Amino acid sequence: MSLSTQTDSRANAPATSAEIDASCRAPVLFLFTSAALWLVAAAAIGLIASLKMHQPLLLVRGAELTYGRVLAAASNAFLFGFAAQAILGVTLWMLSRLGGTPLVAPLVALLGAVVWNLAVTAGVGGILAGDSSGYEGFEFPGYAVPALLIAYTFIALCALATYFQRRERESYVSQWYLLAALFALPWAYLTVHSLLLVDPVRGVAQAAINLWAVAVLREIWLGGSALAVIFYLVPKLLNRPLHNRGYALLGFWMLLILGGWTGLYEGAPLPLWMVKLGGFASLLMIFPLFVVAWNLHATANGQVVLGAECRVLRFAGFGLFAYLTATLVMAMNPLVSAALQFTHYTAAVKHVAFYGAFSMAMFAAIYHIVPRLAGTDWPCENPMKWHFTLASAGVLLVALPLAVGGWKQGMGLLDPSVDFNQISRTALMPIRVSTLGEILWLAGSLLLVGNLVRLLARRFCPCAALAAWVESNGGAR
Amino acid sequence: MNQAPLLVFGIFAALSTSWFGLVVWPQIQLGALKPVEIEETGQIYPSARSGLAQQGADVYRANNCAACHTQQVRPGTDIARGWGARRTVAQDYIFDSPVMLGSSRIGPDLANIGARQIDDNWHLVHLYKPRLVAEKSVMPSYRFLFTKGAIGAKPSPNALKLPPEEAQRFAGHEIVPKADALALVAYLRSLRSDAPLFEAPLPAKPKTKPATLSAPTTNSPAKK
């Protein structure tokens, strides 16, 4: 691995897009396809969890499908099945493209991706079998984690080597966010694994570590990756330069420094200074949020981003606005947490962040990148259009009712004379509506898989494979 | 930020600020907490769980009960609701691993369920079919923790004592908790964080005898 990028970069001309895409093809298409399949799995398991919220007597015979296990399985399948692989695919491709250099050791990355899928399968299966670690967001049993981290190392080393060998000297904001995300996940998971699972620390220090790791995943890993995609696609598709690199830098460093502190909440059984500092950091998140929003606003320069004509930009625009909304609402958390912390309101905000912001941004990236790798356009625009409609309606139909239900729950909890059971039941109707949202989301996810399968089948069906390979090496796009 | 090593170092430095604050420092500040002697009673608090209750914590973890139940009492309305005599603090959790604070209250807080509900049969019936003891409860049934069988020559001593109308439906049969159900109930009974601590004293009761810890007999909030 060459560390002397500066001297090299002047000597080596950037590789052509076609060369770069050819080097990324196998690992990135594999990562995206398996990410989409895990997305469907997570949505299906999540739908069961959603149904069980208002049908408590559904599927109660076996321990495997009890609500707690199903919920944890769905969220881990989403995080490590879908999110991780989508992020890694985007990282490999974007670091290569923006660095102007072919991907280093694509077969190592592919091998890592295969092992990753096996590890995630073991982890999700382990949760359903009752081996959950008991730490929120990191419920994979201890035996699944080493394989997970080794697989990640394979892929991450390819990404890092590619970055260090880049031939474009000037680095771009998307590269910073992706590199930060590349480090954030293993750092958080290694901390959780070593200090909570292998040799657990004592007492609430565990909770502090868990809250930190969850915040790092949410703000820096998921949020940062979403911003990387948005900062890449918005200027690119609008054909405008990024407004201001300095502001982008400012927003980036503020997110990195503040992100990990935002998981704390008022009244947690932790030292007061920790809670107060966490609340303060949450409020400060307004600044990186504002810097990002203003930078992109100035970049767009009056052109439409939310509801744009271009389908890919439409996904990215929805992701951007969901990101801004979720971050703004989360920054306000210290003000409302006394009433709303443990209600469906928190779940609603998390849903906007994970599904509205992160997932939609990743869909934009997948729809943008896959045709370039396959060397052929999407067979038909309609399924993409329907995916957007179903996914955006799905996000809103989950988040809005849950926010309303959570608000009602919170108001009820404030009054000690209201019976607790009654409070839980006031949220039932919103939860029923949110099940509808989960169904729409599942349908949208199936469309994504269908789109991918159709495109890949058309491109790589055995009879045409040889011809396709030759043609694509000639550089179709 | 065009220097790759500088960027990587910067990312490490920025991430390590919150890592130091929330991973390393809690360990320095709280890692050495030990059980303390309660001044009023002379008891050591907290005491380690019995083996059965510890197994029950495993059942609680395996089924992710923390998805719906918190184990943390915050100052204010939580106490007014009867979920605890005082707020919970770090001292309360030193024997828990994993610490399952929970983040959602679809069900009530359980930090003091062992003080609120001391009837084992109530807990078992509630796990078997929550709506038998808590009207229109949204909690799922955990009937996989029980076996149902015909009553033999010698009825099982552990069999659930069901409410009369439900018992009639099961005439000739008995519902017997498996080991996991008994362990889980032992764990729930062990959950109480109401010892007066220096950092979290019990709220002073105006001009009465020293506060005695009364244990309400139901899971429903204390009536005012």
Side-chain angles (χ1 to χ4, degrees), chain A residues 211 218-219 261-267 275 278-286 325-343 345-347 349-350 407, chain B residues 74:
Chain A
L211 291 172
R218 189 187 58 226
E219 299 295 329
W261 288 98
T262 57
L264 295 145
Y265 52 88
E266 211 54 46
V275 173
F280 185 54
S282 294
L283 284 174
L284 285 183
M285 281 294 290
I286 298 262
T325 313
T327 312
L328 185 67
V329 173
M330 278 192 271
M332 295 299 139
N333 199 44
L335 309 178
V336 296
S337 76
L340 300 177
Q341 181 62 39
F342 301 125
T343 67
Y345 172 85
T346 333
V349 179
K350 190 174 141 186
W407 186 269
Chain B
R74 304 187 294 172

Side-chain angles (χ1 to χ4, degrees), chain B residues 84-211:
Chain B
R86 60 163 171 81
R87 65 165 303 174
T88 48
V89 290
Q91 182 74 28
D92 296 319
Y93 301 91
I94 56 180
F95 286 123
D96 290 5
S97 190
V99 172
M100 293 175 282
L101 292 184
S103 61
S104 173
R105 282 179 175 167
I106 297 169
D109 186 88
L110 298 181
N112 286 288
I113 187 67
R116 276 210 301 285
Q117 179 51 266
I118 53 172
D119 179 0
D120 281 356
N121 189 62
W122 186 95
H123 278 298
L124 288 167
V125 172
H126 186 239
L127 286 170
Y128 179 71
K129 197 171 176 186
R131 293 184 179 191
L132 288 180
V133 285
E135 198 195 345
K136 290 187 186 171
S137 166
V138 295
M139 177 163 137
S141 154
Y142 288 84
R143 66 181 65 161
F144 56 84
L145 297 173
F146 299 83
T147 51
K148 183 178 155 190
I151 304 179
K154 224 174 146 192
S156 165
N158 282 340
L160 295 191
K161 295 177 221 19
L162 293 165
E165 63 274 24
E166 192 70 12
Q168 253 168 17
R169 280 186 49 205
F170 288 109
H173 290 80
E174 59 182 4
I175 312 290
V176 183
K178 294 182 189 167
D180 275 358
L182 296 172
L184 181 56
V185 170
Y187 172 68
L188 292 172
R189 291 285 312 278
S190 78
L191 288 174
R192 56 184 302 167
S193 29
D194 53 3
L197 293 171
F198 172 75
E199 66 272 32
L202 296 178
K205 297 243 168 88
K207 289 185 187 160
T208 49
K209 283 179 236 167

Side-chain angles (χ1 to χ4, degrees), chain A residues 369-413:
Chain A
I369 295 170
V370 168
R372 284 163 176 77
L373 294 179
T376 173
D377 229 329
W378 293 102
C380 176
E381 285 255 307
N382 268 340
M384 202 203 288
K385 187 173 115 191
W386 275 104
H387 181 198
F388 178 80
T389 313
L390 288 170
S392 48
V395 168
L396 294 176
L397 268 183
V398 174
L400 294 178
L402 283 188
V404 173
W407 186 269
K408 276 161 73 181
Q409 231 186 333
M411 293 306 118
L413 284 169

Side-chain angles (χ1 to χ4, degrees), chain A residues 10-343:
Chain A
R10 273 165 218 149
N12 294 352
T16 64
S17 302
E19 272 179 82
I20 294 170
D21 290 345
S23 71
C24 290
R25 183 169 298 127
V28 175
L29 284 182
F30 181 84
L31 281 165
F32 281 166
T33 312
S34 42
L37 289 171
W38 275 111
L39 180 72
V40 170
I45 306 173
L47 179 60
I48 298 177
S50 179
L51 279 169
K52 285 173 80 91
M53 287 255 269
H54 48 86
Q55 304 292 332
L57 301 182
L58 181 81
L59 299 172
V60 290
R61 289 196 179 281
E64 291 76 18
L65 291 182
T66 198
Y67 176 75
R69 295 192 192 186
V70 171
L71 187 76
S75 92
N76 282 269
F78 174 83
L79 283 177
F80 302 107
F82 167 67
Q85 300 201 77
I87 293 176
L88 285 171
V90 168
T91 306
L92 292 180
W93 184 82
M94 250 180 218
L95 289 186
S96 307
R97 267 288 186 110
L98 289 169
T101 176
L103 180 65
V104 174
L107 287 180
V108 175
L110 183 63
L111 177 68
V114 173
V115 178
W116 178 271
N117 276 289
L118 295 176
V120 173
T121 311
V124 173
I127 292 173
L128 292 176
D131 292 341
S132 151
S133 72
Y135 298 104
E136 197 177 342
F138 299 84
E139 279 102 343
F140 281 171
Y143 52 73
V145 180
L148 204 69
L149 291 174
I150 291 170
Y152 192 88
T153 311
F154 279 24
I155 307 173
L157 281 181
C158 295
L160 266 186
T162 307
Y163 185 73
F164 274 92
Q165 289 194 359
R166 72 192 201 279
R167 297 176 197 169
E168 295 280 2
R169 185 173 188 282
E170 181 95 348
S171 68
Y172 183 65
V173 46
S174 296
Q175 287 164 299
W176 316 332
Y177 279 116
L178 288 174
L179 273 183
L182 194 67
F183 286 117
L185 173 69
W187 192 340
Y189 219 127
L190 208 56
T191 302
V192 167
H193 189 64
S194 55
L195 296 181
L196 298 184
L197 286 170
V198 176
D199 186 12
V201 300
R202 198 172 206 200
V204 281
Q206 290 188 358
I209 292 175
N210 198 173
L211 291 172
W212 169 81
V214 167
V216 166
L217 285 203
R218 189 187 58 226
E219 299 295 329
I220 297 168
W221 186 55
L222 297 179
S225 305
L227 285 179
V229 167
I230 291 166
F231 268 113
Y232 181 87
L233 288 179
V234 168
K236 181 137 225 142
L237 298 176
L238 292 179
N239 208 9
R240 300 255 319 151
L242 180 69
H243 172 69
N244 189 318
R245 193 166 184 265
Y247 290 131
L249 264 178
L250 186 67
F252 170 72
W253 290 117
M254 278 201 283
L255 177 74
L256 248 57
I257 291 171
L258 296 174
W261 288 98
T262 57
L264 295 145
Y265 52 88
E266 211 54 46
L270 290 164
L272 195 60
W273 69 265
M274 241 176 244
V275 173
K276 292 295 174 197
L277 201 54
F280 185 54
S282 294
L283 284 174
L284 285 183
M285 281 294 290
I286 298 262
F287 292 102
L289 171 78
F290 177 76
V291 168
V292 164
W294 190 70
N295 209 355
L296 286 166
H297 176 75
T299 301
N301 193 26
Q303 294 185 69
V304 188
V305 174
L306 185 68
E309 196 64 32
C310 164
R311 304 258 171 247
V312 173
L313 192 58
R314 199 176 274 202
F315 275 105
F318 190 98
L320 171 62
F321 279 83
Y323 178 83
L324 299 178
T325 313
T327 312
L328 185 67
V329 173
M330 278 192 271
M332 295 299 139
N333 199 44
L335 309 178
V336 296
S337 76
L340 300 177
Q341 181 62 39
F342 301 125
T343 67

